[in-house]
């Protein structure tokens, strides 16, 4: 069924079916053997904006929710500065399992998990997708470009406008990139008809 024909409760139902499939997934043997649990995604099944990260870290693996560790706390501050609420968004990752030691997802792992990501995007059917960091951007858009070259404009994925910006973990190590992310958020919100202040 096309997402635009789905009611909120139908979307919730379809996401739940997918979430249960993910919980039983063993496509990536190493990840399935080392995870505490899968981290499917959270938020509004009718969100206008979908946030896409890289993969669960230790905190997410423990709690089963994306972006709940240090990077997630910074993401929450960014969300607040945009006068948004976490519950308005849909948040998920390229991978649904934690890579041991937080290594980058392999191409095979990203490919294995892609069906689930595509399913979540199709069900939520967002107007905007924000790719946080190069793993999200490169995998979603199938490019090898850097965030520095991709940020500040929209790409498209299906009918969604895609904005790529620096990962919150990167911002924790590179304070100076925060102003770029703020510019990117203002660019996004302006396109949605919302003017943000100076900060
Ligand atoms: N970093 C990510 O990319 N995703 C998470 O869920 C947590 C940290
Ligand atoms: N490199 C990354 O991997 N992510 C960023 O957000 C920025 C640079």
């Amino acid at each position: 069924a096309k997402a635009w024909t789905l009611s909120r409760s139908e979307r919730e139902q379809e996401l739940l079916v997918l979430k249960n499939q993910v919980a039983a997934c063993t496509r990536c043997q190493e990840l399935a053997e080392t995870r505490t649990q899968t981290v499917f995604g959270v938020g509004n099944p009718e969100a206008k904006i979908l946030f896409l990260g890289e993969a669960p870290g230790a905190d997410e693996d423990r709690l089963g929710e994306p972006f709940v560790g240090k990077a997630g706390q910074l993401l929450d501050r960014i969300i607040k500065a945009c006068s948004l609420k976490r519950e308005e968004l849909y948040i998920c990752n390229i991978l649904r399992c934690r890579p041991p030691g937080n290594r980058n997802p392999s191409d095979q792992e990203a490919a294995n998990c892609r069906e689930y990501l595509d399913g979540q995007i199709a069900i939520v059917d967002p107007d905007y997708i924000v790719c946080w960091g190069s793993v999200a951007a490169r995998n979603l858009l199938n490019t090898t470009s850097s965030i520095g070259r991709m940020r500040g404009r929209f790409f498209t994925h299906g009918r969604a406008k895609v904005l790529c910006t620096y990962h919150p973990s990167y911002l924790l190590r590179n304070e100076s990139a925060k102003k770029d992310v703020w510019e990117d958020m203002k660019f996004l919100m302006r396109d949605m008809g919302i003017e943000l202040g100076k900060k």
Side-chain angles (χ1 to χ4, degrees), residues 142-185:
N142 194 26
T143 163
T144 55
S145 200
S146 67
I147 292 296
R149 299 179 75 137
M150 286 190 279
R151 56 168 295 272
R153 61 199 164 107
F154 288 123
F155 295 80
T156 55
H157 178 79
R159 65 164 207 91
K161 291 182 178 180
V162 180
L163 179 72
C164 304
T165 195
Y166 295 112
H167 193 284
S169 300
Y170 179 83
L171 297 182
L172 291 170
R173 304 187 304 270
N174 301 271
E175 279 273 328
S176 65
K178 283 185 178 174
K179 64 179 187 321
D180 296 329
V181 171
W182 184 236
E183 286 304 316
D184 292 337
M185 291 301 108

Side-chain angles (χ1 to χ4, degrees), residues 76-143:
D76 283 340
R77 293 205 292 279
I78 296 169
I79 290 169
K80 206 169 168 197
C82 293
S83 57
L84 295 168
K85 291 195 164 63
R86 199 182 241 258
E87 312 82 69
E88 293 176 67
L89 309 167
Y90 191 83
I91 309 179
C92 61
N93 285 305
I94 292 295
L95 294 193
R96 274 131 207 77
C97 298
R98 181 193 183 202
N102 298 339
R103 63 164 171 74
N104 277 353
S106 71
D107 290 344
Q108 185 61 55
E109 288 163 352
N112 289 346
C113 220
R114 184 59 185 250
E115 183 188 341
Y116 306 132
L117 173 62
D118 287 342
Q120 285 167 295
I121 293 173
I123 295 164
V124 176
D125 191 28
D127 297 336
Y128 297 90
I129 297 173
V130 179
C131 292
W132 294 95
S134 57
V135 169
R138 288 175 180 177
N139 276 287
L140 185 75
L141 300 172
N142 194 26
T143 163

Side-chain angles (χ1 to χ4, degrees), residues 7-25:
S7 68
R8 187 185 179 100
S9 66
E10 285 169 332
R11 291 180 202 217
E12 275 166 357
Q13 187 53 41
E14 291 207 3
L15 285 169
L16 187 58
V17 169
L18 201 54
K19 182 179 182 172
N20 289 336
Q21 248 175 282
V22 165
C25 183

